[in-house]
Amino acid sequence: MNEKQLMGILKQTIYPDLDKAEDLTSTFDCISFINLEMIELKSRQTHYDDLVIEKMKYVSLVEKSKKIGMKPVYICSTPNGIWRFRVWTLAEPIWEMKSMPKTSQFSNRNWVQKEVGFIHIGQGEDITYIIK
């Protein structure tokens, strides 16, 4: 599953008003005005119990959502399910530098240093059952 497919599933099930971010370079992917949620989506091809989030995206999501009176949400799919994290209820991750692919596109596998944190799936809500 990719982020576009994930967004489509979420729109059909729990976020009927879900709109894609207008700016393609935005640090969030979509927004729900009914739920007042600004959402970052991520699709992972491998399951890990600790899901990675880039600090730059996390900080921007938190700051932008706060600025317009919305709640920051991170939704991540893996082959084992889909988890929703209500970021405003969680402690900020511990940040560390990691060597990672520049993008998740298979055609561009240049490695760069990124500041990332990890959020354990136990800190989120498994929403897989809602969308099936």
Side-chain angles (χ1 to χ4, degrees):
M1 174 182 327
N2 61 35
E3 276 107 23
K4 184 177 180 180
Q5 293 166 324
L6 176 58
M7 184 175 167
I9 290 169
L10 293 170
K11 188 172 178 76
Q12 291 173 1
T13 55
I14 56 179
Y15 291 104
D17 70 318
L18 202 59
D19 272 334
K20 186 167 180 49
E22 290 179 17
D23 183 358
L24 294 176
T25 61
S26 179
T27 52
F28 69 95
D29 293 303
C30 45
I31 198 161
S32 168
F33 289 103
I34 291 173
N35 296 295
L36 297 176
E37 293 178 354
M38 188 175 282
I39 304 167
E40 168 67 15
L41 300 175
K42 193 54 74 179
S43 267
R44 303 287 182 195
Q45 303 308 310
T46 305
H47 177 81
Y48 298 98
D49 285 348
D50 292 305
L51 301 172
V52 69
I53 187 165
E54 291 181 50
K55 182 177 183 180
M56 174 208 58
K57 288 188 177 188
Y58 175 94
V59 169
S60 181
L61 177 67
V62 169
E63 289 177 356
K64 283 182 181 178
S65 60
K66 184 178 181 180
K67 190 175 190 178
I68 62 170
M70 300 194 93
K71 297 171 275 192
V73 173
Y74 178 55
I75 297 177
C76 187
S77 70
T78 78
N80 291 7
I82 301 172
W83 285 267
R84 174 172 52 190
F85 301 92
R86 298 176 192 268
V87 174
W88 75 95
T89 68
L90 305 176
E92 186 170 336
I94 296 170
W95 304 109
E96 58 186 270
M97 295 302 291
K98 290 273 190 188
S99 183
M100 304 183 82
K102 185 172 183 175
T103 71
S104 54
Q105 304 300 319
F106 289 106
S107 61
N108 183 358
R109 289 312 234 173
N110 296 323
W111 291 77
V112 296
Q113 289 291 311
K114 291 185 180 183
E115 194 167 12
V116 298
F118 295 89
I119 303 174
H120 191 275
I121 59 172
Q123 293 180 275
E125 173 189 9
D126 183 348
I127 60 171
T128 311
Y129 72 95
I130 297 172
I131 63 158
K132 290 198 175 199

